[in-house]
Amino acid sequence: MGEKVCVIIGFGPGLGTAYAEIFKEAGYDLGLLSRSGASLDGAEPTDTSVRAYKCDAGDPNSLKGALASVQSDLGEIDVVIFNADLAQFGALEDVSELQFEQSWRVGALGLFATAKLLGPQMSERGSGVIIISGATAALRGNVWTTAFAPSKSAQRTLANSLAKQLGPKGVHIVYLVIDGVIDTKDTRTNFAPNESDDFFIKPACIAETALMLANQDKSAWTFELDIRPFGEKW
Amino acid sequence: MGEKVCVIIGFGPGLGTAYAEIFKEAGYDLGLLSRSGASLDGAEPTDTSVRAYKCDAGDPNSLKGALASVQSDLGEIDVVIFNADLAQFGALEDVSELQFEQSWRVGALGLFATAKLLGPQMSERGSGVIIISGATAALRGNVWTTAFAPSKSAQRTLANSLAKQLGPKGVHIVYLVIDGVIDTKDTRTNFAPNESDDFFIKPACIAETALMLANQDKSAWTFELDIRPFGEKW
Amino acid sequence: MGEKVCVIIGFGPGLGTAYAEIFKEAGYDLGLLSRSGASLDGAEPTDTSVRAYKCDAGDPNSLKGALASVQSDLGEIDVVIFNADLAQFGALEDVSELQFEQSWRVGALGLFATAKLLGPQMSERGSGVIIISGATAALRGNVWTTAFAPSKSAQRTLANSLAKQLGPKGVHIVYLVIDGVIDTKDTRTNFAPNESDDFFIKPACIAETALMLANQDKSAWTFELDIRPFGEKW
Amino acid sequence: MGEKVCVIIGFGPGLGTAYAEIFKEAGYDLGLLSRSGASLDGAEPTDTSVRAYKCDAGDPNSLKGALASVQSDLGEIDVVIFNADLAQFGALEDVSELQFEQSWRVGALGLFATAKLLGPQMSERGSGVIIISGATAALRGNVWTTAFAPSKSAQRTLANSLAKQLGPKGVHIVYLVIDGVIDTKDTRTNFAPNESDDFFIKPACIAETALMLANQDKSAWTFELDIRPFGEKW
């Protein structure tokens, strides 16, 4: 086992996998939480430094249960990457009350449950990092973000509140404002099939910045930063 | 009956009453929605231009039922003042998952349910106003706003999304960033018993600004503005 | 002479004229400052309640001289509308150092000089209003706002600093974030010749909101608000 | 000579020196621009990879002259750290027109002159980095930032405009929102003599983050991020 443990809440192909690979390479043991319980491609079942857990990030009990299992299996959690997100887009008429709620459940309540469980432990240890995959929708609503913007903005101001509470106790909270389309099989196929490479954010590059932030000295912490491809119109 | 109808969601003493008085004076019929079903002090039971409805703004069915009753009793709704708010303050350890959820239910889901019901009607008529009593917590989290900030920021970016969707159809959405302590019996007694008059925002002054905004010509609409007492530190 | 005096710095056709008309109608004597020294169309030379002054808002001495003349002619200044602006648009290669500087001189240094002269007087009286015609460029830069955004953002944070300094002394500072194209002969002809009426902001509607803000009770002041046409994409 | 050249505009003890040391260690040749013409402590006069230039960042000709000398001595400039700043603090009555102007000259006009000279060259090469030492005052004014906030906010929206113009051409613009007191001899002695180590931001930690940002892959660039000590109240 490595010396440090990183949990990725909302593991999956694309960004979740990029986070996993970069933190694994940096020597972290990994706890991968997802609805499907998937593990890292190519991870040997015998590799006890990578473990997958099935859970629903929108259900506090399910989430806290999985986090407890990680702690029992791998030990104290040093870094949490909160990457869970429903990413539901639609105008007012497209979004049901249920979808509006589920979007908030995963994005905001899930982060709250994570902080309720791990915040006090990290505070007591005087260390810990929670990095959240955010979005520009956290800052403003738009026509297609009737459910997404409220979920992400709730997540961001919660993160901001946590940063001010837990920062002085040595716990580093980071909010990544990801502004652009991440390069995944899904976005290449369904969302932006005709775009060139330059249009997309490479997941590995987000993950590299996240790792750097996880290593920042506490005299100079970043709470929030934007990430976008060089050619993005903004 | 007057020519126009104003509904106040989250009616009560203090700001709710100030909104009611100022819109009544401006000739609006009033539908007053609150958990207690209270009516305007001094309103005669025989005064059919002021009607009170009991409902829970955090329960979409209850809220939509009350709004339908208003429409049945008073006719089409011209102005909605969304003033419902749990105003729960506390650090991470003080806030339960239930409180975190209820805060969001009233502040964000309640506004969503209101918009689901009235947005399409107002859009079809090509007119309507929805004014939301917001707060600075909508913009950033703080130590004591673990539940409040996520609720208000979800409300604000939802309002922002609605403004962009419904504005072009003639529906005016306004978000008031109320930054300070409102002068009420409760805040005078419990929250700031030793402050002078200058410390507080007079509810009637917020309501006057709201009325002015409800009357803005659609060539020059305001979406967002801050309101604070002149001596406030900010 | 009326009871109150309003000075418009950067008077001209369009918005400047709309401010003048609405404040005149509200009973204010007017001091109109502009590079050309133009007066309100239709104002009788014998009407001593409207006076025009030639000055360069980018030259502190010229500006302070004109303000002193207003005070000598009309008495103490109650309301200042700071409407001066070069509105120079262009990319990096289009803007010279001189243009970059002039843009700042008029937008930011002019407001500073105004505040240096009138701020202490208004503070001593315990009353006064300074309303600034701002723009969305005050909040962020864009490709075409190489000179305009730095000028407007300097103006906005100066206004913000003034609000925090002078507010507690009874002086109300307001920043209007005008987000859209104002309906003037010039914009209709040169900037947006093919747009319908709905595309434009009516100057009179901005001026009405400004008058309302000038009348806000000091228990509930607004520092900043946005103004845009209902159909604006934002 | 190294393979890459980094210029620090506004070199000096404290943060300027930290930038110099970290970029030197990363293999950059250094051009150090300051009013005094100081060089890096301990740099051998025979070390041609570190060169000092005397210039006034508030005077475009002086600044462009020094940058031309760097190019002539060291070759093409890869990274610019724009660290020049007068950091003048004071209320309205404390700040003269001259100080207000000088603050803007160094912070905003200096960056503009730098971009006018280097922006087209970097664009043509398709690469280059400009990192600006910013401040929270860029986002809002405060009582003591009558001159500082307008200067920093002009600098920030200029940086924002440059990012949108030059980003698509491969030039990375970064704005560091430094929120706290940097640990230097001067701040320890004069500004905060009684604070513990935890109160201060270590210059080397800001510089490390800057180096990481200079190395970001262009598919995932950061324009803006905040940096503050873990215990900072914000």
Side-chain angles (χ1 to χ4, degrees):
Chain A
M1 287 209 291
E3 287 174 4
K4 288 186 290 185
V5 174
C6 171
V7 166
I8 296 168
I9 299 173
F11 174 76
L15 184 53
T17 293
Y19 283 131
E21 290 174 344
I22 220 109
F23 277 85
K24 188 177 195 312
E25 202 177 286
Y28 286 80
D29 287 353
L30 298 179
L32 308 176
L33 279 56
S34 67
R35 272 171 292 187
S36 68
S39 190
L40 196 56
D41 270 7
E44 298 291 326
T46 55
D47 180 356
T48 55
S49 71
V50 180
R51 301 199 182 219
Y53 303 83
K54 195 170 175 167
C55 85
D56 175 357
D59 174 347
N61 289 331
S62 167
L63 181 52
K64 291 192 290 189
L67 289 170
S69 299
V70 173
Q71 291 178 308
S72 155
D73 293 346
L74 296 173
E76 276 178 354
I77 295 168
D78 296 283
V79 175
V80 174
I81 308 281
F82 193 89
N83 189 49
D85 203 331
L86 289 189
Q88 274 171 325
F89 297 97
L92 183 57
E93 60 267 28
D94 305 321
V95 176
S96 69
E97 273 160 30
L98 184 63
Q99 290 173 315
F100 187 81
E101 176 165 344
Q102 285 174 326
S103 192
W104 168 82
R105 246 170 220 296
V106 171
L109 184 61
L111 178 59
F112 180 75
T114 302
K116 282 292 275 187
L117 181 68
L118 300 181
Q121 298 175 17
M122 289 178 165
S123 296
E124 196 159 328
R125 288 206 317 267
S127 71
V129 181
I130 301 176
I131 296 175
I132 298 123
S133 295
T136 306
L139 304 170
R140 53 178 167 272
N142 230 312
V143 170
W144 295 101
T145 56
T146 316
F148 188 59
S151 167
K152 295 310 269 189
S153 56
Q155 184 186 65
R156 175 179 173 267
T157 56
L158 172 58
N160 195 196
S161 172
L162 295 173
K164 293 179 184 180
Q165 293 182 57
L166 306 181
K169 296 173 180 166
V171 184
H172 188 190
I173 312 289
V174 179
Y175 197 77
L176 306 179
V177 179
I178 301 173
D179 185 21
V181 179
I182 299 173
D183 192 352
T184 66
K185 242 185 220 175
D186 181 56
T187 56
R188 286 277 191 173
T189 312
N190 299 317
F191 189 85
N194 301 315
E195 299 288 350
S196 73
D197 286 3
D198 281 354
F199 175 78
F200 298 93
I201 310 182
K202 290 180 197 152
C205 298
I206 298 176
E208 270 166 37
T209 292
L211 178 62
M212 178 284 298
L213 292 166
N215 288 330
Q216 276 184 325
D217 182 279
K218 72 181 184 174
S219 102
W221 275 351
T222 292
F223 166 63
E224 188 166 44
L225 87 179
D226 49 358
I227 295 179
R228 66 175 62 76
F230 72 104
E232 184 78 8
K233 292 257 178 284
W234 51 298
Chain B
M1 285 211 293
E3 285 174 4
K4 290 185 289 186
V5 173
C6 171
V7 165
I8 297 167
I9 298 172
F11 174 75
L15 185 52
T17 293
Y19 283 131
E21 289 174 345
I22 220 109
F23 278 84
K24 189 176 195 309
E25 201 177 286
Y28 285 81
D29 288 353
L30 299 178
L32 307 175
L33 278 57
S34 68
R35 273 170 291 186
S36 68
S39 189
L40 195 57
D41 271 7
E44 298 291 326
T46 53
D47 180 355
T48 54
S49 71
V50 180
R51 301 198 183 220
Y53 304 83
K54 197 169 175 167
C55 85
D56 175 357
D59 174 348
N61 289 331
S62 167
L63 180 52
K64 291 193 288 189
L67 289 170
S69 299
V70 173
Q71 292 179 307
S72 156
D73 294 345
L74 296 172
E76 277 177 354
I77 296 168
D78 297 284
V79 175
V80 174
I81 309 282
F82 193 89
N83 189 48
D85 203 331
L86 290 189
Q88 275 172 324
F89 297 97
L92 182 59
E93 59 268 28
D94 306 321
V95 177
S96 69
E97 273 161 29
L98 184 62
Q99 290 172 315
F100 188 79
E101 174 164 346
Q102 284 173 326
S103 192
W104 168 81
R105 247 171 218 294
V106 171
L109 185 62
L111 177 60
F112 180 74
T114 303
K116 282 294 275 187
L117 182 67
L118 300 181
Q121 298 175 18
M122 289 178 164
S123 296
E124 195 159 327
R125 288 207 316 267
S127 71
V129 180
I130 301 176
I131 296 175
I132 298 122
S133 295
T136 308
L139 304 171
R140 53 178 166 271
N142 229 312
V143 171
W144 296 102
T145 56
T146 317
F148 187 59
S151 166
K152 294 312 270 188
S153 57
Q155 184 186 66
R156 174 180 173 267
T157 56
L158 172 57
N160 196 194
S161 172
L162 294 173
K164 293 181 184 180
Q165 293 182 56
L166 305 181
K169 296 173 181 166
V171 184
H172 187 189
I173 312 288
V174 179
Y175 197 76
L176 305 179
V177 179
I178 301 172
D179 185 21
V181 180
I182 299 174
D183 193 352
T184 66
K185 242 183 221 178
D186 181 55
T187 56
R188 286 275 191 173
T189 312
N190 300 317
F191 189 86
N194 301 316
E195 298 288 349
S196 73
D197 287 3
D198 282 355
F199 176 78
F200 298 93
I201 311 183
K202 292 181 196 150
C205 298
I206 299 176
E208 270 167 37
T209 292
L211 179 62
M212 179 285 298
L213 292 165
N215 288 329
Q216 277 185 324
D217 184 279
K218 73 180 186 177
S219 102
W221 275 351
T222 292
F223 166 64
E224 189 166 43
L225 87 179
D226 50 358
I227 293 179
R228 68 175 61 76
F230 73 103
E232 184 78 9
K233 292 256 178 286
W234 51 297
Chain C
M1 287 211 290
E3 285 173 6
K4 289 187 288 184
V5 173
C6 171
V7 165
I8 298 168
I9 299 171
F11 174 75
L15 185 52
T17 293
Y19 283 131
E21 290 173 345
I22 220 108
F23 277 84
K24 188 176 195 313
E25 201 177 288
Y28 285 80
D29 287 351
L30 299 179
L32 308 176
L33 278 57
S34 68
R35 273 171 292 186
S36 68
S39 189
L40 197 56
D41 272 5
E44 297 292 326
T46 55
D47 181 355
T48 55
S49 71
V50 180
R51 300 199 183 219
Y53 303 83
K54 196 167 175 168
C55 84
D56 175 357
D59 173 349
N61 289 330
S62 166
L63 180 52
K64 290 194 287 189
L67 290 170
S69 299
V70 172
Q71 290 179 308
S72 156
D73 294 345
L74 297 172
E76 275 178 355
I77 295 168
D78 297 281
V79 175
V80 173
I81 309 282
F82 193 89
N83 190 50
D85 202 333
L86 289 188
Q88 275 172 324
F89 297 97
L92 182 58
E93 60 267 29
D94 305 321
V95 177
S96 68
E97 273 161 29
L98 183 63
Q99 290 173 316
F100 188 80
E101 176 166 343
Q102 284 174 328
S103 192
W104 167 82
R105 245 169 220 295
V106 170
L109 184 62
L111 178 59
F112 180 75
T114 302
K116 282 292 274 187
L117 181 68
L118 300 181
Q121 299 175 16
M122 290 178 164
S123 296
E124 195 159 327
R125 288 205 319 265
S127 71
V129 180
I130 302 176
I131 297 175
I132 298 120
S133 296
T136 307
L139 304 170
R140 53 179 165 273
N142 230 311
V143 171
W144 297 102
T145 56
T146 317
F148 187 59
S151 167
K152 295 311 269 189
S153 57
Q155 184 185 66
R156 175 180 174 267
T157 56
L158 172 58
N160 196 194
S161 172
L162 294 173
K164 292 180 184 179
Q165 292 182 55
L166 306 181
K169 297 174 180 165
V171 184
H172 187 189
I173 311 288
V174 179
Y175 197 76
L176 305 179
V177 179
I178 302 172
D179 186 21
V181 179
I182 300 174
D183 193 351
T184 64
K185 241 183 219 177
D186 181 56
T187 57
R188 287 277 191 172
T189 311
N190 301 316
F191 189 85
N194 302 316
E195 298 289 348
S196 73
D197 287 3
D198 282 355
F199 176 78
F200 298 93
I201 310 182
K202 290 179 198 152
C205 298
I206 299 176
E208 270 167 36
T209 292
L211 179 62
M212 179 284 298
L213 292 165
N215 289 329
Q216 276 184 324
D217 183 279
K218 72 181 186 174
S219 103
W221 276 350
T222 292
F223 166 63
E224 188 166 45
L225 86 179
D226 50 357
I227 294 180
R228 65 175 62 77
F230 73 104
E232 184 78 8
K233 293 256 179 285
W234 51 296
Chain D
M1 288 210 290
E3 284 174 7
K4 288 186 290 185
V5 173
C6 171
V7 166
I8 298 168
I9 299 172
F11 174 76
L15 185 52
T17 293
Y19 284 131
E21 289 174 345
I22 221 109
F23 277 84
K24 188 175 194 314
E25 201 177 287
Y28 286 80
D29 287 352
L30 299 179
L32 308 176
L33 279 56
S34 67
R35 271 172 292 186
S36 67
S39 189
L40 197 56
D41 271 6
E44 298 291 325
T46 54
D47 180 355
T48 55
S49 71
V50 180
R51 299 197 183 220
Y53 304 83
K54 196 168 176 168
C55 84
D56 174 357
D59 174 347
N61 289 330
S62 166
L63 180 51
K64 291 193 288 190
L67 290 170
S69 298
V70 173
Q71 291 178 309
S72 157
D73 293 345
L74 298 172
E76 276 179 354
I77 297 168
D78 296 281
V79 175
V80 174
I81 309 281
F82 193 89
N83 189 50
D85 203 333
L86 288 189
Q88 275 172 323
F89 297 97
L92 182 58
E93 60 269 26
D94 306 321
V95 177
S96 68
E97 272 161 31
L98 183 63
Q99 289 173 316
F100 188 81
E101 175 164 345
Q102 285 175 327
S103 193
W104 167 83
R105 246 172 220 294
V106 170
L109 183 61
L111 178 58
F112 181 76
T114 302
K116 282 292 276 187
L117 181 68
L118 300 181
Q121 298 176 16
M122 290 178 163
S123 296
E124 195 159 327
R125 290 207 316 267
S127 72
V129 180
I130 302 176
I131 296 176
I132 298 123
S133 294
T136 308
L139 304 170
R140 53 178 166 273
N142 230 312
V143 170
W144 296 102
T145 56
T146 317
F148 187 59
S151 168
K152 294 312 269 189
S153 57
Q155 184 185 65
R156 176 180 174 266
T157 55
L158 172 58
N160 196 195
S161 172
L162 294 173
K164 293 180 184 180
Q165 292 182 56
L166 306 181
K169 297 174 182 165
V171 184
H172 186 191
I173 312 287
V174 179
Y175 197 77
L176 305 179
V177 179
I178 301 172
D179 185 21
V181 179
I182 300 173
D183 193 352
T184 65
K185 243 185 220 177
D186 180 55
T187 57
R188 287 277 191 173
T189 311
N190 300 315
F191 190 86
N194 302 316
E195 299 288 349
S196 73
D197 286 4
D198 281 355
F199 175 78
F200 298 93
I201 311 182
K202 291 180 197 150
C205 299
I206 299 176
E208 270 167 36
T209 292
L211 179 62
M212 178 283 298
L213 293 165
N215 288 330
Q216 277 185 323
D217 184 279
K218 72 182 186 173
S219 103
W221 275 352
T222 292
F223 166 64
E224 189 167 43
L225 87 178
D226 50 357
I227 294 179
R228 66 175 62 75
F230 73 104
E232 184 79 8
K233 294 257 176 284
W234 50 298

